[in-house]
Amino acid sequence: MKRIAFLDYLRVFACFLVMVVHASENYYGVISGAVSDMAGPQSYLMNEADRLWVSLYDGFSRMSVPLFIIISAFLLVPMKEEQTAWQFYRRRFTRILPGFVLFMILYSTLPMLWGQIDWTVARNDLSRLLLNFPSTAGHLWFMYPLISIYLFIPIISPWLRKASAKEEGLFVALFVLSTCIPYLNRWAGEVWGQCFWNEFHVLWYFSGYLGYVIMAHYIKVHLDWNRAKRLAAGSVLMVAGAAITILSFYLQATPGVILETPVLEVGWNMCTINCVMLTAGTFLLFTCIRQDNPPRVVADMSRLSYLVYLMHIMWLGLWVSVFKDTLALPTAAAIPAISVCTFISCFITAKIISYIPGSKWLI
């Protein structure tokens, strides 16, 4: 299969943004004594510098997960017509589940070596592996919606092969409308059938990450814009989406006050209208890359990005201790330093692992 160069660049970019998100969370979302390095139910910003730079770095990077969904959909949707659902499931899940299961076990046990957790926590995490991710591996939440998307692809593929641009456009429009509901809930309370016994509002079945899947297919198949139009529209969408996403956090973040994270991060929900704009705009910009093959290092980073994602929290804590605690760099410099060093460390480790026989099951 011929490589699609812009997707390699995009995958590396999205993977790096994940590091930025989790580096930033160490400057607002980690309450003393927390097991994980990632944001918890409550947040606390120390000062105005943290407020500004967390808003900028983390806010801009919130497109990382939707970009991964769009990349997967661009490559996999619709599935091959001659392929059965079971063939599709076997191929996809043998690619992601071995690494996922291994790292679930590693995150449940290895942190005992450096004192992050004790045996009680480890035992509890191990006992719940069939139910959820370990307490030290919050980033693995992404695997569950990804698995859900894979399960759904054979179901929507027949429709996508036959759907017209207008039909798909209607789905995308309803999906975009559904991404306004978090704000409606904030300002107007329960809407469109929501109540304390029913969370399934009228647009429930058009909402969530499935909308990004249909959007990716619509862009791939039906959007016939030339490069200039993609650049223009992509730039406007990315800048507007980034501005709203950044400001949604900045305007609520009051230094020195303990805040409820879900309230503070309402605009960082990846299925909000601003994140859709940010993600769609960035994706359109990357589709303007005209290159047959990416440089070897980019192709390698792209190929190893899954393993980099799985392991990065193990490296992240080390670099947080270096740049935040030991060197005490200003927030503006510390977050990118932590992100870059984590990414490079993970890439080198993944590259070494790639030479081990059987490593394909992790990569």
Side-chain angles (χ1 to χ4, degrees):
M1 181 178 176
K2 184 180 178 182
R3 297 199 75 84
I4 304 174
F6 86 83
L7 290 181
D8 282 318
Y9 284 105
L10 190 61
R11 188 181 284 113
V12 174
F13 178 65
C15 190
F16 177 70
L17 292 185
V18 171
M19 318 287 163
V20 178
V21 168
H22 293 148
S24 301
E25 288 184 358
N26 283 272
Y27 288 85
Y28 78 94
V30 179
I31 304 297
S32 178
V35 170
S36 174
D37 290 327
M38 286 177 283
Q42 294 180 317
S43 297
Y44 184 85
L45 291 128
M46 294 289 293
N47 49 54
E48 285 292 339
D50 287 359
R51 177 192 186 192
L52 173 63
W53 294 108
V54 167
S55 299
L56 288 170
Y57 288 135
D58 203 339
F60 180 77
S61 301
R62 287 287 158 164
M63 63 176 132
S64 53
V65 165
L67 285 176
F68 277 125
I69 297 292
I70 285 182
I71 291 167
S72 292
F74 198 89
L75 291 169
L76 299 175
V77 177
M79 70 177 196
K80 297 175 182 177
E81 198 162 1
E82 68 276 9
Q83 196 175 30
T84 67
W86 299 115
Q87 289 171 335
F88 177 85
Y89 293 150
R90 183 170 62 249
R91 181 170 177 80
R92 300 323 309 170
F93 290 134
T94 54
R95 285 175 174 247
I96 65 169
L97 290 183
F100 177 42
V101 172
L102 174 62
F103 273 86
M104 291 263 280
I105 296 170
L106 291 177
Y107 279 108
S108 299
T109 54
L110 280 186
M112 286 192 294
L113 297 179
W114 50 84
Q116 186 177 1
I117 61 173
D118 57 24
W119 170 241
T120 302
V121 175
R123 182 178 57 194
N124 184 64
D125 284 348
L126 288 169
S127 70
R128 289 179 51 82
L129 286 189
L130 292 177
L131 300 175
N132 217 336
F133 51 81
S135 56
T136 59
H139 67 298
L140 295 182
W141 73 267
F142 169 68
M143 295 304 299
Y144 298 92
L146 181 65
I147 289 169
S148 177
I149 290 297
Y150 282 174
L151 288 171
F152 218 78
I153 285 176
I155 297 169
I156 60 172
S157 288
W159 175 69
L160 285 173
R161 291 192 200 102
K162 296 185 290 186
S164 67
K166 286 184 178 180
E167 289 169 338
E168 280 191 50
L170 174 62
F171 191 107
V172 173
L174 292 173
F175 160 63
V176 171
L177 182 58
S178 79
T179 63
C180 299
I181 288 180
Y183 296 116
L184 288 174
N185 289 155
R186 173 70 68 85
W187 297 325
E190 296 166 331
V191 297
W192 300 340
Q194 291 174 318
C195 53
F196 76 87
W197 69 83
N198 176 54
E199 61 184 309
F200 303 104
H201 53 77
V202 70
L203 294 177
W204 178 272
Y205 300 104
F206 295 91
S207 63
Y209 295 105
L210 182 62
Y212 284 110
V213 174
I214 308 302
M215 179 186 294
H217 185 266
Y218 182 89
I219 293 172
K220 178 181 179 180
V221 175
H222 300 298
L223 197 69
D224 57 356
W225 291 352
N226 59 29
R227 190 166 183 265
K229 197 167 184 179
R230 286 174 183 247
L231 280 171
S235 298
V236 170
L237 283 170
M238 187 188 75
V239 171
I244 298 170
T245 307
I246 290 165
L247 285 172
S248 71
F249 185 94
Y250 182 81
L251 294 176
Q252 298 184 91
T254 305
V257 177
I258 294 179
L259 304 164
E260 297 300 314
T261 303
V263 174
L264 182 61
E265 291 189 347
V266 65
W268 285 4
N269 182 319
M270 286 134 191
C271 292
T272 49
I273 181 67
N274 46 286
C275 277
V276 172
M277 293 165 62
L278 175 59
T279 303
T282 302
F283 185 74
L284 286 174
L285 290 177
F286 272 86
T287 64
C288 296
I289 295 174
R290 297 287 187 262
Q291 194 173 352
D292 290 333
N293 290 294
R296 183 174 177 180
V297 65
V298 173
D300 265 0
M301 288 179 176
S302 175
R303 181 174 64 90
L304 297 170
S305 60
Y306 180 52
L307 182 53
V308 167
Y309 152 76
L310 288 173
M311 74 169 68
H312 79 273
I313 292 298
M314 292 183 178
W315 279 106
L316 186 81
L318 168 65
W319 293 115
V320 168
S321 68
V322 171
F323 293 112
K324 182 183 179 183
D325 303 328
T326 304
L327 298 179
L329 291 185
T331 309
I335 291 175
I338 294 166
S339 306
V340 169
C341 289
T342 299
F343 187 85
I344 292 173
S345 301
C346 290
F347 174 63
I348 292 172
T349 306
K351 186 67 176 175
I352 293 170
I353 291 173
S354 71
Y355 293 113
I356 300 174
S359 62
K360 68 175 185 178
W361 298 106
L362 293 179
I363 299 169

